[in-house]
Amino acid sequence: MARKLWIRANASAEVGIGHVMRTMAVAEAAAAAAIDITYVMDSDPTGVQVPAKHGFDVLVIEHEERRSWLERVRRSDAVLFDGYTFEPEDHEWARSTGAKIGAVDDWGRGEFDVDVLLNQNLLGDHRYHVREDTRMLLGPAFALVRAEFHALRRRRGETADSIVVSTGGSDPTGVAVEFMRIVEETGWFGKRSVLVGPMSTIAPDRPGWQHAIDPQSPALVFDAADVVLSAAGSTTWELLHMGLPTIIVQTHDNQSLVAEAAERTRAALVVRNLPGLAEEATSFLAALRDRRLRVQLSERAMATVDGRGGKRLLGALFPDRWNEPIKTG
């Protein structure tokens, strides 16, 4: 009987789609290794469509089934948690199956009763409480980058005519409109695009902009850009893997480690002061008119993210099935 990877994650307008999208890097590696994949998700109709759209099986559960789905998990399987609503007792229940347990985190703190813990954003010290034998995968060396971004990786920076702005799968605060206004007021960039996620409420008819509304391949939209202005979510690592000169904006507290890592590696220009967004972003856009800076950012970005994080995590979850070298970041 084939081994199976169970991915426990959720997507909704409130939490966005980042938890699901980044775990697809692991799911794609598992599929290539002939390991079956099933997403286990709460019953948000729009959220459930996210992995299903990409061809993955989805098991939809209600709150009262929070534990019962684990009856299907075998000792030879692995369970991966990614989300802010899961507690140590969820890990403990999953551990009782005998399966290998993993988790993806953004905060750098908390209690995790898991075999493998990944934080792709963390370069400094952490405040995790874990098992003595927990394998820690920390830093951009473990960034989860989906396959569609791999083929589009290249040195960039020679031109600066096209810009894409993006805030991820959802934009509950409406910051995308502010991004667009800032770009418009510069008077630069002959080609302007906004990438709209499946849970965004941005109006799709703003003049002077191309609107990519829940595109089949976001990577192709970004590939057409010379510069990207993006919220500092998981997409950050995919953009840096592609070598794109990028300005990232910390729009929520859970993006603080992404912003810090991008600053420390000098792989992107970072706005962390949201009240000062207009002034700082305009200054960075002006700086990116310099070809040398664009090229430097592109080179640093690719040096920071090699895109093999999904395979490294899979190798930690199935060490006897996947021989991917695991470096320490």
Side-chain angles (χ1 to χ4, degrees):
M1 187 177 292
R3 290 185 174 183
K4 195 175 189 73
L5 172 63
W6 302 83
I7 300 177
R8 183 71 177 97
N10 287 320
S12 69
E14 292 74 25
V15 303
I17 64 174
H19 299 295
V20 171
M21 295 304 293
R22 66 185 178 189
T23 58
M24 286 186 190
V26 192
E28 291 166 346
I35 295 171
D36 292 338
I37 307 102
T38 293
Y39 275 82
V40 181
M41 303 183 66
D42 294 347
S43 56
D44 181 292
T46 306
V48 167
Q49 293 176 12
V50 175
K53 172 185 173 182
H54 290 80
F56 294 109
D57 291 336
V58 181
L59 172 63
V60 180
I61 63 173
E62 303 295 338
H63 181 73
E64 59 271 17
E65 300 174 306
R66 182 180 173 195
R67 185 174 181 179
S68 62
W69 68 273
L70 289 164
E71 296 173 359
R72 309 185 188 196
V73 178
R74 302 185 302 273
R75 292 182 60 85
S76 57
D77 296 345
V79 179
L80 179 64
F81 291 90
D82 191 345
Y84 303 141
T85 61
F86 306 123
E87 303 291 340
E89 65 180 3
D90 292 292
H91 307 151
E92 183 180 352
W93 292 339
R95 178 175 295 285
S96 69
T97 67
K100 200 90 164 181
I101 311 302
V104 180
D105 179 62
D106 292 316
W107 293 101
R109 62 180 185 269
E111 182 177 350
F112 290 83
D113 185 11
V114 298
D115 299 293
V116 183
L117 179 58
L118 183 147
N119 187 325
Q120 61 190 0
N121 314 317
L122 187 62
L123 288 175
D125 295 334
H126 62 79
R127 291 179 287 163
Y128 287 124
H129 297 281
V130 296
R131 299 164 57 89
E132 289 186 3
D133 58 351
T134 297
R135 191 160 200 173
M136 308 292 286
L137 309 182
L138 306 178
F142 301 100
L144 301 176
V145 177
R146 289 169 288 157
E148 66 175 279
F149 292 86
H150 294 173
L152 303 176
R153 174 179 169 86
R154 65 179 184 276
R155 180 180 178 274
R156 303 171 190 256
E158 294 299 330
T159 57
D161 184 55
S162 175
I163 188 169
V164 170
V165 304
S166 171
T167 58
S170 64
D171 182 19
T173 61
V175 73
V177 174
E178 179 67 3
F179 284 3
M180 298 165 78
R181 186 190 65 79
I182 291 168
V183 171
E184 289 169 352
E185 290 188 357
T186 67
W188 307 323
F189 303 105
K191 300 176 183 177
R192 302 168 181 171
S193 300
V194 56
L195 196 158
V196 179
M199 298 177 183
S200 176
T201 58
I202 185 174
D205 58 354
R206 193 175 181 94
W209 290 82
Q210 295 291 321
H211 290 77
I213 305 171
D214 189 20
Q216 183 66 32
S217 175
L220 288 177
V221 177
F222 287 126
D223 188 49
D226 298 316
V227 172
V228 175
L229 174 60
S230 174
S234 296
T235 301
T236 297
W237 304 119
E238 294 171 326
L239 297 173
L240 299 188
H241 175 70
M242 291 177 67
L244 276 161
T246 301
I247 301 169
I248 65 169
V249 180
Q250 181 183 333
T251 60
H252 298 89
D253 289 345
N254 64 348
Q255 298 170 351
S256 61
L257 290 181
V258 182
E260 181 180 342
E263 281 185 325
R264 289 180 59 176
T265 58
R266 298 188 300 156
L269 302 176
V270 182
V271 178
R272 304 190 69 176
N273 175 25
L274 199 55
L277 168 61
E279 181 179 355
E280 290 191 52
T282 300
S283 176
F284 283 148
L285 288 169
L288 284 176
R289 301 185 78 181
D290 183 341
R291 172 193 169 278
R292 290 174 297 178
L293 177 58
R294 296 194 304 270
V295 171
Q296 286 174 356
L297 284 172
S298 180
E299 292 174 345
R300 289 177 196 150
M302 290 192 295
T304 299
V305 184
D306 68 7
R308 302 185 70 85
K311 294 181 178 179
R312 293 186 177 111
L313 178 52
L314 186 71
L317 292 172
F318 294 97
D320 59 334
R321 285 288 303 273
W322 188 272
N323 188 28
E324 177 69 22
I326 298 179
K327 59 184 180 180
T328 57

